Amino acid sequence: MEDMESKPTFVYRDGMLSDARYVEWLSDVKTRFRQSQIKASVRVNTSMLEFYWSIGRDLVALRAEECWGAGVVKQFALDMRQAFPDITGFSVSNVKYMKQWYSFYYERVIKSHQVGGQLEDEKSHRVSGFLEMPEIFGRVPWKHHVLIISKCQSLDEALFYINKAADEGWSRSALEAKISAKLLQAQGSAVTNFEQTLPTPQNMLAKEILKDPYHFDFLSMTPRYDERDLEEALVANITQFLLELGKGFSFVGRQMELQMLGGQTFFPDLVFYHIPQHRYVIIELKAVKYIPEFAGKLNFYVTAADELLRGDGDNPSVGLIICKSTDKTVVEWSLKDINKPLGVATYQLEEVVDRTVAELALRAKREKEE
């Protein structure tokens, strides 16, 4: 009898009975495959970056421009493109970036005589007086590195954004937006009472998840928007809002109804859970300048979260008021005797009028060029 599998045939689902074990196994295989893809891309990226790093190191170590003249980078790029015509990456500008990339870190390490973060063990990262590429650099794409050395001034600032980009998987546009928004300076800068209400090191960890200001430039708000408009816009753009809050935030609910035994009902604006720190974060939005009364209401909501939402293993809940503007002294005094951990920060957004004017100007420019 002729084997049916030896003939050409269309492939159909063959009446297989899919059970929970199969679904679980299939999900596991998909996850493993995605992980293998990520690992492969990371290995390729790391190898390329290590090669770029070595070129930058050679150009510095050999004092190439002193030895062979100012045109050495251009000549090197031409020679490499001639030898490897099918390989991209050997443009003059890219080779210049390779040297700039290595020099950025080497010069700052040598000048400061102190190395932070991934460069802290000077001996393990030096070869004959020159630096080896830190391992974490391989987790960040080349164009990200170019952006970082073009925008950052200090070693600490560059390493901060490298770690963030690697851990949170930022796109290049997201990285550029975070640098422009000065995330490093904003991180942990919200005014809080955490030192008085949380033990060490929880107070420091909790403060790290807050910042000031929050940038809501992904929203299009009318000039006369109110608190409810702002809340609805943020929920409608929850993905961008979560990205702005930072890594680890999970959205729990909006206007969750809190019923008290006496019949009173309350509605906290937004409830999140911070997964790495195992704590609920209650956020109240205010489209006006901060006033002390806001703290009392949020203190009540944080107490309710601790009483009703907090489970075994969860850390104390924290509250955050995000408002249009603040007076630092007013905030500090109003939080001083509050018994729950609260923070106050501001937000910034680009008004829809400004966007419309810019869009009209851009459209007029394009029409003129056409």
Side-chain angles (χ1 to χ4, degrees):
M1 186 180 226
E2 191 173 7
D3 185 359
M4 291 299 292
E5 293 185 358
S6 65
K7 291 183 177 182
T9 181
F10 286 105
V11 177
Y12 300 95
R13 295 184 181 272
D14 200 19
M16 174 197 145
L17 295 176
S18 176
D19 60 10
R21 289 181 61 193
Y22 174 80
V23 173
E24 183 179 356
W25 171 70
L26 181 62
S27 176
D28 180 60
V29 171
K30 288 178 180 178
T31 300
R32 295 201 319 260
F33 179 68
R34 292 190 187 99
Q35 290 174 342
S36 70
Q37 287 181 308
I38 293 171
K39 289 178 181 177
S41 64
V42 168
R43 284 195 295 269
V44 171
N45 185 64
T46 300
S47 297
M48 182 193 73
L49 290 176
E50 287 175 341
F51 179 64
Y52 283 3
W53 184 270
S54 70
I55 291 175
R57 185 177 62 198
D58 289 348
L59 290 171
V60 172
L62 296 172
R63 300 190 177 186
E65 292 175 330
E66 294 181 26
C67 292
W68 300 305
V72 62
V73 170
K74 184 184 294 184
Q75 184 61 49
F76 173 76
L78 291 170
D79 289 340
M80 291 299 289
R81 287 209 304 273
Q82 183 178 4
F84 306 100
D86 297 329
I87 304 299
T88 59
F90 292 116
S91 65
V92 174
S93 60
N94 212 43
V95 174
K96 286 182 178 179
Y97 278 131
M98 295 175 200
K99 181 185 177 185
Q100 184 182 345
W101 184 41
Y102 177 81
S103 297
F104 179 93
Y105 295 99
Y106 176 74
E107 290 172 359
R108 283 160 179 76
V109 168
I110 297 303
K111 182 177 180 179
S112 65
H113 294 289
Q114 59 182 10
V115 187
Q118 279 63 44
L119 300 173
E120 63 182 1
D121 186 353
E122 189 171 341
K123 291 183 180 179
S124 68
H125 290 293
R126 283 176 179 251
V127 178
S128 302
F130 293 93
L131 295 175
E132 289 183 349
M133 189 186 84
E135 183 179 351
I136 197 172
F137 281 25
R139 295 170 54 195
V140 178
W142 169 238
K143 292 296 185 180
H144 287 51
H145 284 289
V146 172
L147 178 63
I148 288 170
I149 61 173
S150 301
K151 298 286 188 179
C152 297
Q153 301 300 318
S154 70
L155 185 66
D156 289 341
E157 184 182 12
L159 292 176
F160 172 83
Y161 288 111
I162 284 174
N163 278 278
K164 285 289 186 180
D167 291 342
E168 302 187 19
W170 288 345
S171 65
R172 189 170 183 272
S173 59
L175 171 62
E176 187 168 16
K178 299 296 185 182
I179 295 175
S180 298
K182 299 186 183 300
L183 176 62
L184 173 61
Q185 292 80 0
Q187 198 84 28
S189 59
V191 180
T192 73
N193 63 352
F194 291 175
E195 290 185 3
Q196 293 78 41
T197 55
L198 292 173
T200 304
Q202 271 203 42
N203 53 12
M204 294 181 290
L205 292 173
K207 192 165 187 177
E208 286 178 3
I209 68 175
L210 308 185
K211 62 183 180 181
D212 185 26
Y214 287 88
H215 291 269
F216 296 161
D217 51 1
F218 52 86
L219 302 180
S220 293
M221 305 301 296
T222 60
R224 296 183 179 180
Y225 71 92
D226 60 16
E227 176 184 313
R228 183 56 60 89
D229 295 329
L230 179 62
E231 180 185 321
E232 290 179 351
L234 288 172
V235 173
N237 294 270
I238 192 63
T239 300
Q240 292 93 328
F241 187 26
L242 286 169
L243 288 173
E244 179 60 20
L245 288 175
K247 183 180 179 182
F249 279 88
S250 175
F251 182 47
V252 177
R254 170 199 178 194
Q255 294 290 323
M256 294 174 62
E257 186 172 351
L258 171 61
Q259 290 188 343
M260 305 303 292
L261 295 178
Q264 286 183 290
T265 305
F266 301 90
F267 298 89
D269 287 347
L270 299 167
V271 179
F272 293 86
Y273 188 80
H274 193 266
I275 299 171
Q277 292 196 15
H278 301 286
R279 70 172 79 249
Y280 285 92
V281 180
I282 316 302
I283 295 181
E284 284 289 287
L285 299 169
K286 302 296 178 183
V288 295
K289 188 173 183 178
Y290 176 84
I291 58 175
E293 288 89 331
F294 296 160
K297 187 176 182 181
L298 183 58
N299 184 71
F300 170 71
Y301 286 154
V302 173
T303 299
D306 278 340
E307 294 290 332
L308 303 175
L309 299 178
R310 182 181 174 187
D312 295 338
D314 284 340
N315 287 312
S317 305
V318 300
L320 172 63
I321 298 168
I322 303 179
C323 51
K324 196 166 188 178
S325 61
T326 63
D327 179 304
K328 187 176 180 181
T329 303
V330 171
V331 174
E332 290 176 343
W333 286 12
S334 66
L335 297 184
K336 190 172 182 180
D337 294 321
I338 294 286
N339 63 354
K340 289 293 183 181
L342 306 185
V344 177
T346 59
Y347 67 87
Q348 295 179 354
L349 54 79
E350 185 179 358
E351 300 288 351
V352 68
V353 174
D354 297 333
R355 286 191 175 188
T356 303
V357 171
E359 288 171 2
L360 289 172
L362 181 60
R363 187 180 302 171
K365 182 180 178 182
R366 286 175 178 170
E367 291 175 352
K368 185 177 181 181
E369 290 174 348
E370 292 175 354

